[in-house]
Amino acid sequence: MSDNPEDKNKEEVKEEPTATDEPIKCQKERDEYLDGWKRAKADLINYKKEESKRFMEMAKFASEDLIVEMISILDSFDLGLAVLEKDGKAEKGMYLIRSQMEDVLRKRGLERIAVSVGQSFDPALHEAIAEIESDKPSGSIIEEIERGYLLNSKLIRPVRVKVAK
C-alpha cells in the first residue's frame, strides 16, 4: 500500500456497492436460502418416510414374544390331543379350539415351516436334534420332532428334526 491519497480514494470507491450490485447480492442470498430450504424440506420428507418404515417394522414384530408363547401352548395342545386320542375319542370341540388358535396366529403373520421325510436338512430353517443311521441319503430329514415357525418371514423357531447320517 502506498501513502498516496489518490490510491486510498480508489480503494474506497471499489468498496462502496453500486446500485446494480445490491439486487444481484440479494438474489444470490435468496437463491442460497431457497436451496437450503429445499434441502431441509427433502431431508424432512426422507426422515418421515424412514420413520414410517421403522414404525411398520416395529409394529410387525411387536407381538413376537406373545406369539412365541402361544406356539408353546399349541404344542401342549397337540400333546393333550394325542393323549386323548390314545385313551379314547377326542372331542371335536378340542380340534376346533386348536384350529381357531392357529387361525388367529396366522392372521398375525405366523407361518408353519413345512417339513417332509426325505427333505434335505437346511440349517437356516432346521435344528438337528439327533443323527441316526439310516438307509436314507446323508443329511436328509428322517423325523420332525418339533414344529418350526416364521413370523412375517422371520424365523422365530426352527424345526427340530432327526437327520440321517
Side-chain angles (χ1 to χ4, degrees):
M1 290 197 152
S2 64
D3 291 331
N4 188 354
E6 289 179 15
D7 290 339
K8 286 183 182 177
N9 287 339
K10 287 180 184 176
E11 288 177 14
E12 289 176 14
V13 170
K14 288 181 183 176
E15 290 179 10
E16 287 182 24
T18 61
T20 59
D21 290 342
E22 190 65 29
I24 293 171
K25 182 181 174 190
C26 287
Q27 286 176 350
K28 285 182 181 178
E29 283 182 14
R30 180 202 66 196
D31 291 344
E32 285 177 26
Y33 291 140
L34 184 61
D35 288 343
W37 176 79
K38 286 179 181 177
R39 279 192 299 276
K41 185 177 178 184
D43 288 345
L44 178 64
I45 290 170
N46 290 336
Y47 172 76
K48 284 182 177 181
K49 286 179 186 176
E50 289 172 8
E51 282 301 304
S52 176
K53 285 180 187 175
R54 279 190 214 119
F55 180 76
M56 294 303 287
E57 282 296 309
M58 193 170 71
K60 252 183 173 178
F61 297 105
S63 59
E64 181 176 347
D65 59 334
L66 175 66
I67 290 175
V68 168
E69 289 180 36
M70 294 297 290
I71 289 170
S72 59
I73 294 171
L74 276 178
D75 290 341
S76 298
F77 220 101
D78 288 338
L79 289 173
L81 285 172
V83 168
L84 283 176
E85 287 176 351
K86 287 179 184 174
D87 290 343
K89 183 178 167 188
E91 295 297 320
K92 198 163 119 178
M94 297 294 280
Y95 286 107
L96 182 61
I97 293 170
R98 190 197 182 291
S99 174
Q100 287 174 337
M101 279 181 60
E102 221 170 30
D103 288 343
V104 167
L105 293 172
R106 194 175 303 113
K107 287 178 188 174
R108 301 287 186 268
L110 187 71
E111 303 172 51
R112 181 174 174 232
I113 301 171
V115 174
S116 59
V117 174
Q119 180 181 346
S120 63
F121 178 79
D122 180 1
L125 298 173
H126 307 128
E127 181 180 332
I129 300 297
E131 281 189 320
I132 299 176
E133 292 289 333
S134 174
D135 57 343
K136 305 259 187 225
S138 179
S140 63
I141 296 173
I142 295 174
E143 182 184 353
E144 178 182 11
I145 303 299
E146 189 175 64
R147 294 177 177 173
Y149 293 94
L150 300 171
L151 179 61
N152 296 311
S153 301
K154 176 187 169 194
L155 181 70
I156 59 172
R157 186 170 89 179
V159 183
R160 294 189 173 98
V161 295
K162 290 182 181 178
V163 181
K165 274 188 180 178

